[in-house]
Amino acid sequence: MKNIRLGEVLTDAGIISQQQLEKALAYQKEHRDLRIGQALMALGYVTQRQVLQALARRLELEMVDLAQQTAEGAALELVPQALAAKYCVLPLRRRGSVLTVATDDPLNYYAIEDLRQLTGLELDIVLAEPEPLNKAIQYYYADLGAQRAARSAGDSAAPAAPAEQVSVNVTGDGGDAPVIQLLNSLLQRAMTAGASDIHIEPFEESTNVRMRIDGVIVDYLELQRALHQPLVARVKILSGLDIAEHRLPQDGHFRAHMEQGGDVNLRVSIMPTVYGEKAVLRLLAGSAVIDHADQFGMNDEVYRRFLPLLDRPNGIVYLTGPTGSGKTTTLYLVLEALRRRAVNIVTIEDPVERNIAHVNQTQVNPAAGLTFERGLRALLRQDPDIIMVGETRDAETAGISVRAAITGHMVYSTLHTNDAASSIVRLIDMGVEPYMAANSVAGLVAQRLLRKVCPRCGQEEPVTRAEAAYLGPEIRTVRRGRGCPHCHGTGYRGRVAIHELITVDKTLRRMIVEGATSEAMAEYARKAQGMRSLRESALDLVRQGVTTPEEMLKVTCGE
């Protein structure tokens, strides 16, 4: 392989011309840190995939889809993570004296020779594209780290003792070090897997660790029962909770820095159960993972209708939906856009899930007397242009928000309602006078998250007779995932948001004052504003093969 020149491989394959190669060589002389393949890609002459395909043909190597491959733990153990990341290689499996390794650069013979010397094995090289390869390296080594940490902690664990007899080293020194490493590894694994929650659940014989990925709980790890109390105690220490209290629920939060993924805020809930305390750690990631993030997760039509609301000088915009529907994520995307303007933005949240530059964020602290109502009253004296209230939970918060909107502020908040129109009814039920609601509310956005069919294992299938009854005659086939390593066997990978948007105009204000039903307001919005219901938006995604009928029914049942 030392004698193979990438430029010649590409010209022989007809992918580039001799003139393009000469230009790339000249470009490489000016940028000596680039290899010839990188120079060709920088000039736009080739793509990474074209390079790999040409090398695969010349070297008679196999190109693999890493989503369809599984890296075995025994192979990963042979190559340190630092070396795998340095050379961008992923050990996949060992068969006898042969180690199969995925790489994006088969001509890096220094890397290949280092691996051969390190492992003492013959190497079977396969090719993979760099982006999925880098993600796979992070994913599998995070998994390996958690497994190692669990074994190490298990080896050093003392037999399980009653809760009141457990002694924890607060500094994290000595015997608790393996538990610290275990928790760190679990957090890193959750980040690389895109999990939103980690569940640490005690049972009679063991402790189960599960993770919520794309809204669904997935089994991950089973720990020795003796590890449970030290692990929960470590979580409590980081969260500033009382490690001696085992009988009452506790809530807290802490911030962690991950090797891959940067900083992450974690919200912690501790709940006593029959076999001990269950801990749930919610990862409040530093960046939103959502389709169409540049449009706040909205499709083109909803985004076009939503934009004028951002230019309102005053009023309230409510984002509505159940817990876990992405309301706060959407609010943060909106604040990211608004912070670029010459405005003073203040928030009152519980908790602050993500820090945003140039936005003044306040964390609710009921123990210190800082409630939503008290904090919101104080914010009004901070000369705000835009106020974000994390959640409108009660009549007092709703009343203060309404008065703030009427007196010249723009307010963004969330409500727990099933659809956009019923938010008005909810406000009135909270005690807000209809005329106040009519004059303060500017827009209502209902939101849900649908799981997307895995792009790797999704297949077209004919609809069943039962599905045809509610999908309609125009949908003959639907797309479903079969389950693969890429989607953890669920058939789904990632989520997409759907919305219904109502803007409050003169007619709607009159309807609110007159006590119109939510159904009547929704019907008016459909006819006069072109509002599409959540169910209609979900049906479009089923038609496009983005999601499944099961997801549509789960998210929009009752609509």
Side-chain angles (χ1 to χ4, degrees):
M1 290 194 299
K2 284 185 179 182
N3 299 322
I4 293 178
R5 296 178 181 270
L6 179 59
E8 293 177 3
V9 172
L10 295 172
T11 51
D12 291 347
I15 296 173
I16 61 171
S17 65
Q18 186 63 37
Q19 185 181 12
Q20 288 174 324
L21 176 58
E22 290 171 0
K23 288 182 178 179
L25 290 170
Y27 184 83
Q28 186 187 24
K29 288 180 180 179
E30 298 174 3
H31 303 81
R32 295 186 177 277
D33 56 328
L34 296 182
R35 302 181 69 178
I36 186 61
Q38 295 170 321
L40 287 164
M41 285 186 281
L43 293 171
Y45 295 152
V46 295
T47 65
Q48 182 71 54
R49 187 167 186 82
Q50 287 176 315
V51 172
L52 289 176
Q53 287 173 337
L55 287 172
R57 286 192 294 269
R58 172 64 69 88
L59 300 174
E60 298 182 351
L61 298 176
E62 179 187 2
M63 276 196 70
V64 298
D65 179 359
L66 289 176
Q68 304 296 333
Q69 303 281 326
T70 300
E72 298 176 358
L76 293 166
E77 293 277 7
L78 296 171
V79 180
Q81 182 178 1
L83 198 65
K86 176 183 176 181
Y87 290 137
C88 198
V89 295
L90 178 66
L92 293 175
R93 55 191 166 271
R94 176 182 179 177
R95 298 293 181 268
S97 61
V98 178
L99 178 66
T100 301
V101 177
T103 181
D104 65 342
D105 187 3
L107 299 183
N108 189 348
Y109 47 85
Y110 294 112
I112 292 171
E113 189 59 30
D114 273 1
L115 291 177
R116 184 178 287 114
Q117 293 288 340
L118 173 70
T119 62
L121 301 172
E122 291 299 314
L123 301 184
D124 175 26
I125 304 297
V126 296
L127 303 186
E129 293 186 66
E131 184 176 352
L133 180 57
N134 279 312
K135 289 182 178 178
I137 291 169
Q138 292 181 12
Y139 177 87
Y140 282 111
Y141 276 99
D143 189 44
L144 180 66
Q147 301 283 353
R148 283 174 173 169
R151 289 196 301 269
S152 175
D155 291 343
S156 63
E164 60 273 11
Q165 296 178 17
V166 173
S167 176
V168 178
N169 186 343
V170 178
T171 64
D173 297 329
D176 280 341
V179 172
I180 294 171
Q181 183 59 43
L182 172 59
L183 180 59
N184 293 344
S185 299
L186 291 176
L187 293 177
Q188 187 65 67
R189 175 60 168 76
M191 285 288 289
T192 58
S196 61
D197 300 86
I198 303 172
H199 292 244
I200 302 173
E201 304 170 327
F203 294 99
E204 187 173 8
E205 300 296 333
S206 63
T207 287
N208 290 348
V209 178
R210 302 196 293 171
M211 298 187 183
R212 186 176 296 277
I213 301 173
D214 291 335
V216 177
I217 289 285
V218 177
D219 289 327
Y220 174 57
L221 195 63
E222 185 173 296
L223 302 174
Q224 295 181 29
R225 185 68 179 85
L227 287 175
H228 182 78
Q229 290 166 351
L231 182 58
V232 171
R234 176 63 182 168
V235 172
K236 287 182 175 182
I237 290 168
L238 292 174
S239 308
L241 303 180
D242 184 355
I243 63 172
E245 177 57 69
H246 304 283
R247 299 166 298 175
L248 297 175
Q250 297 188 70
D251 295 309
H253 67 276
F254 66 94
R255 186 178 180 87
H257 180 75
M258 301 288 100
E259 291 181 9
Q260 291 97 26
D263 290 343
V264 57
N265 290 326
L266 292 107
R267 185 169 65 199
V268 175
S269 174
I270 306 290
M271 173 67 73
T273 70
V274 173
Y275 294 111
E277 293 172 293
K278 174 181 176 179
V280 176
L281 288 70
R282 168 154 291 187
L283 284 77
L284 309 172
S287 60
V289 181
I290 188 171
D291 282 10
H292 313 300
D294 57 334
Q295 297 185 176
F296 314 135
M298 301 171 181
N299 62 32
D300 293 340
E301 188 271 333
V302 175
Y303 180 66
R304 176 185 59 79
R305 294 177 52 222
F306 182 78
L307 277 181
L309 293 174
L310 301 185
D311 297 324
R312 291 281 299 260
N314 62 285
I316 303 178
V317 174
Y318 282 111
L319 273 82
T320 76
T323 299
S325 59
K327 303 185 298 295
T328 304
T329 295
T330 302
L331 275 183
Y332 278 139
L333 293 173
V334 170
L335 292 184
E336 285 277 8
L338 292 173
R339 73 181 177 86
R340 299 181 178 90
R341 303 182 182 183
V343 291
N344 177 26
I345 304 176
V346 294
T347 76
I348 180 77
E349 307 172 60
D350 184 22
V352 173
E353 297 191 8
R354 179 156 58 95
N355 297 321
I356 304 175
H358 309 300
V359 174
N360 304 283
Q361 297 170 269
T362 302
Q363 167 81 48
V364 167
N365 187 354
L370 180 56
T371 61
F372 266 110
E373 309 85 66
R374 189 170 183 178
L376 186 49
R377 289 181 189 277
L379 291 185
L380 291 174
R381 297 190 290 272
Q382 291 286 307
D383 186 32
D385 297 295
I386 297 171
I387 300 170
M388 193 271 266
V389 182
E391 183 180 341
T392 301
R393 297 180 176 179
D394 51 43
E396 189 170 0
T397 303
I400 300 171
S401 299
V402 164
R403 287 192 292 275
I406 290 175
T407 56
H409 304 90
M410 195 65 206
V411 181
Y412 294 88
S413 188
T414 65
L415 271 175
H416 287 282
T417 58
N418 290 328
D419 56 33
S422 61
S423 303
I424 296 294
V425 177
R426 172 79 174 127
L427 284 176
I428 294 172
D429 287 344
M430 282 182 172
V432 176
E433 293 292 337
Y435 77 92
M436 294 281 281
N439 286 288
S440 61
V441 178
L444 304 161
V445 184
Q447 176 169 316
R448 298 290 189 279
L449 292 177
L450 293 166
R451 289 188 296 167
K452 298 192 299 180
V453 175
C454 176
R456 306 291 188 183
C457 63
Q459 297 180 2
E460 293 286 337
E461 294 181 357
V463 300
T464 64
R465 183 176 299 178
E467 290 168 345
Y470 60 83
L471 293 178
E474 73 278 6
I475 299 180
R476 302 291 183 85
T477 62
V478 294
R479 189 171 175 81
R480 286 191 177 87
R482 314 306 296 177
C484 67
H486 183 67
C487 61
H488 309 283
T490 64
Y492 297 94
R493 180 73 175 182
R495 290 192 284 182
V496 62
I498 55 174
H499 303 85
E500 63 180 36
L501 168 63
I502 296 176
T503 55
V504 179
D505 55 18
K506 291 181 179 179
T507 302
L508 272 174
R509 281 197 286 272
R510 188 185 70 251
M511 293 177 72
I512 293 169
V513 171
E514 293 174 352
T517 63
S518 60
E519 291 80 6
M521 288 186 279
E523 183 62 25
Y524 166 78
R526 272 192 290 270
K527 291 180 178 179
Q529 300 179 1
M531 182 200 79
R532 307 197 72 218
S533 69
L534 293 170
R535 190 179 185 88
E536 289 170 325
S537 298
L539 190 62
D540 281 347
L541 294 179
V542 173
R543 185 181 295 110
Q544 297 163 18
V546 175
T547 192
T548 62
E550 293 84 358
E551 275 294 289
M552 185 190 83
L553 289 180
K554 185 177 75 173
V555 170
T556 65
C557 62
E559 298 292 333

